[in-house]
Amino acid sequence: AQKITQTQPGMFVQEKEAVTLDCTYDTSDQSYGLFWYKQPSSGEMIFLIYQGSYDEQNATEGRYSLNFQKARKSANLVISASQLGDSAMYFCAMREVYNQGGKLIFGQGTELSVKP
Amino acid sequence: GAVVSQHPSWVICKSGTSVKIECRSLDFQATTMFWYRQFPKQSLMLMATSNEGSKATYEQGVEKDKFLINHASLTLSTLTVTSAHPEDSSFYICSASSQFFSGANVLTFGAGSRLTVL
């Protein structure tokens, strides 16, 4: 069964600094996708970045980059130049292609607080 | 881009009543919709997967008679919480997919519905 683990319940970062949010996963499927979502206090799920299991290069989207280490089964999110508006819950998620009906399974989440 | 509308955004009801939450894909056909439940400071827990025209597939531990899911069309899925009790108070959020799997841009979330049962 697929499993997503985020071991950092809470993180603090100084404004303008970079921060890494950890995520490890476990799957028996060869084809899968890894996602990061941001959830502010309003509750909406904001898609940040996606990495496919066959993508050779790490995904980047503006200030977000995904450090994908397939052999270690890790997909850490790096946020550069943190902003106060980055304070939110961050969820790592995985979706298998052939197993589990394509459903998206989430990790426990990391609450990020950006200090001015 | 793809938009999913979820309604109502918040609802308060009395214990014992039923509440219906709608999830609509506005500009695409959603062959699959996923319903999640989230308690405060916790992760999103998948409740069920619904495919248009067929019965929903519920996750282990989710009562199918309590959480009725209907996906009658390619743009609408509904979650009905029957005989709601205070422990059903939670944040319910849906996600819609236009195809089985083709990357991140085909999985869109609604804004969520906050249910409070008195």
Side-chain angles (χ1 to χ4, degrees), chain A residues 39 95 97 103-104 107 111, chain B residues 36 38 41 43 59 97 100:
Chain A
Q39 187 182 42
R95 193 180 186 197
V97 175
K103 57 191 177 186
L104 194 64
E111 185 171 13
Chain B
Y36 293 86
Q38 184 181 31
K41 299 292 186 181
S43 184
E59 295 298 301
S97 175
F100 181 65

Side-chain angles (χ1 to χ4, degrees), chain B:
Chain B
V3 177
V4 172
S5 173
Q6 190 171 340
H7 178 81
S9 55
W10 59 270
V11 57
I12 300 173
C13 70
K14 292 183 178 180
S15 184
T17 60
S18 295
V19 174
K20 180 183 286 187
I21 299 170
E22 292 187 346
C23 182
R24 292 181 183 273
S25 57
L26 299 185
D27 50 2
F28 67 100
Q29 293 185 328
T31 53
T32 304
M33 287 190 175
F34 303 94
W35 286 94
Y36 293 86
R37 181 177 184 176
Q38 184 181 31
F39 291 109
K41 299 292 186 181
Q42 294 188 22
S43 184
L44 281 73
M45 299 302 297
L46 183 64
M47 299 175 66
T49 302
S50 73
N51 293 296
E52 184 267 337
S54 61
K55 290 184 178 180
T57 302
Y58 290 81
E59 295 298 301
Q60 192 172 8
V62 177
E63 300 175 60
K64 59 181 67 178
D65 294 332
K66 181 165 188 64
F67 299 100
L68 301 179
I69 292 173
N70 183 279
H71 194 163
S73 76
L74 285 170
T75 59
L76 174 64
S77 177
T78 60
L79 166 67
T80 301
V81 183
T82 63
S83 185
H85 291 283
E87 57 266 28
D88 298 324
S89 299
S90 188
F91 188 63
Y92 295 87
I93 189 165
C94 69
S95 175
S97 175
S98 63
Q99 41 191 304
F100 181 65
F101 188 98
S102 67
N105 59 341
V106 296
L107 200 62
T108 307
F109 281 84
S113 299
R114 197 167 300 280
L115 171 64
T116 300
V117 184
L118 302 177

